[in-house]
Amino acid sequence: MKKIFALLMVCALVLMTGCGGSDKTPPSADETKLGMIAHLNTTEQKMKELYDELVKKADLKVALNTVKFFDNLSTMQMGLESNDVNEISVYSCVANYLSGAGKYESVPDNALSKLSDSFCFAVRKDDTELKAQLDKAIDEMKSDGTLDKLVKDYITDAEPDNIPRVEIPMIDGAPTIKVGVTGDLPPLDLVLPDGTPAGFNTAMLAEIAKRIGRNIELVNIDSGARAAALASNQIDVIFWAVVPNGNNLPSEIDKPEGVEFSTPYFKDSVKHLKIKS
């Protein structure tokens, strides 16, 4: 009887303390490990705090466990598929593009879904003439309907397996500007399997080249090196997503030093993706 009593006591202790006697509480099923593209001027912990604050304001029942930064979309997708993160944060048009392959699905209750980032061209601060030319061309494209048509053709109606190719015109004797492309934001910034840049941003460049009378040389660069490539004169222009003022996130959260942004030419909100169940 003493042996049986002792065994029962051991079992009771195991049940109270958990396997191995650990006092750690398992994480809640509501907690989420969220993958994001790295921001220049904040940390993973600060980004989590900002996101948690947005969740509270939106009265969502979502708990973030951690935010993990990635240098580019490809490594972020690998993190999702290896269960390093549970969800990834991407722009809505990118989410729609990726979901077309049937591997991912959107996650509801995303605190950033009501906020919209603006897409611009980033140039060096002292390159005022180029910025003025880009601004003028973008404003003209908005006024004459060209921009709306490009959005329709290359984003709204574009199919992931049939993205239209783009030919950028060459103007004899015209000056050349170097534009960085990463291929890391389809269908906006996209490089096809054969190495040809395509997608909405390239279509934008083709139209702008005609309007400002300059030739465009596309330079493939790594997503994480965009700011450094611009600052070092390796390129003259890079695509950039800008956090607007007054949307509950600091507007300088991802702005490099020494740059100016053009007039915005596209806006998009954020979706979260997970592996399709």
Side-chain angles (χ1 to χ4, degrees):
M1 288 296 293
K2 288 182 179 179
K3 288 183 178 180
I4 294 173
F5 179 77
L7 181 59
L8 289 173
M9 288 298 293
V10 169
C11 291
L13 286 170
V14 169
L15 289 172
M16 286 189 292
T17 60
C19 183
S22 171
D23 60 357
K24 292 182 179 179
T25 304
S28 166
D30 294 331
E31 291 184 340
T32 301
K33 295 179 181 178
L34 179 64
M36 289 184 175
I37 298 297
H39 288 63
L40 291 177
N41 303 321
T42 192
T43 63
E44 292 171 333
Q45 179 58 33
K46 181 62 178 176
M47 194 66 207
K48 172 186 162 26
E49 292 169 5
L50 291 168
Y51 191 87
D52 282 345
E53 187 61 29
L54 289 174
V55 167
K56 288 179 183 178
K57 289 181 179 179
D59 195 26
L60 299 175
K61 307 303 180 185
V62 179
L64 268 183
N65 187 16
T66 56
V67 167
K68 183 175 176 60
F69 282 166
F70 293 87
D71 288 336
N72 53 56
L73 180 62
S74 298
T75 57
M76 191 161 68
Q77 287 178 264
M78 288 191 294
L80 180 60
E81 292 169 17
S82 66
N83 205 33
D84 191 21
V85 292
N86 310 111
E87 301 173 9
I88 58 175
S89 175
V90 294
Y91 289 106
S92 293
C93 67
V94 179
N96 295 338
Y97 178 91
L98 295 177
S99 298
K103 184 183 292 186
Y104 307 113
E105 62 183 356
S106 296
V107 181
D109 294 336
N110 161 27
L112 297 178
S113 62
K114 294 181 173 59
L115 309 180
S116 295
D117 286 358
S118 298
F119 290 83
C120 309
F121 294 109
V123 301
R124 287 180 293 278
K125 187 169 286 189
D126 59 358
D127 209 342
T128 54
E129 181 182 356
L130 177 57
K131 179 184 181 304
Q133 290 179 327
L134 293 172
D135 288 345
K136 183 173 183 292
I138 293 168
D139 287 340
E140 290 174 351
M141 291 168 67
K142 288 179 179 178
S143 297
D144 64 21
T146 301
L147 188 53
D148 287 340
K149 185 176 187 308
L150 291 180
V151 170
K152 182 177 185 298
D153 291 346
Y154 288 89
I155 298 177
T156 308
D157 294 347
E159 299 176 358
D161 58 351
N162 189 29
I163 299 293
R165 291 177 177 267
V166 179
E167 289 190 14
I168 298 179
M170 296 298 295
I171 306 168
D172 289 341
T176 297
I177 56 174
K178 296 181 179 181
V179 181
V181 293
T182 67
D184 201 42
L185 207 65
L188 300 174
D189 193 344
L190 171 67
V191 175
L192 298 175
D194 64 1
T196 304
F200 174 68
N201 284 340
T202 307
M204 278 283 298
L205 287 173
E207 181 64 31
I208 284 175
K210 292 185 291 186
R211 294 178 184 243
I212 69 175
R214 296 207 193 191
N215 289 320
I216 303 292
E217 178 184 343
L218 299 178
V219 180
N220 287 307
I221 60 172
D222 183 74
S223 180
R226 292 176 300 154
L230 185 62
S232 65
N233 294 323
Q234 181 183 348
I235 56 175
D236 304 303
V237 178
I238 189 68
F239 307 111
W240 209 275
V242 181
V243 178
N245 286 309
N247 75 348
N248 298 311
L249 287 176
S251 60
E252 302 295 311
I253 195 170
D254 201 33
K255 183 177 181 180
E257 292 185 8
V259 306
E260 290 291 341
F261 294 131
S262 74
T263 297
Y265 56 82
F266 181 67
K267 287 187 177 181
D268 205 1
S269 59
V270 169
K271 283 186 179 180
H272 289 181
L273 291 181
K274 65 178 182 178
I275 298 295
K276 194 169 185 178
S277 55

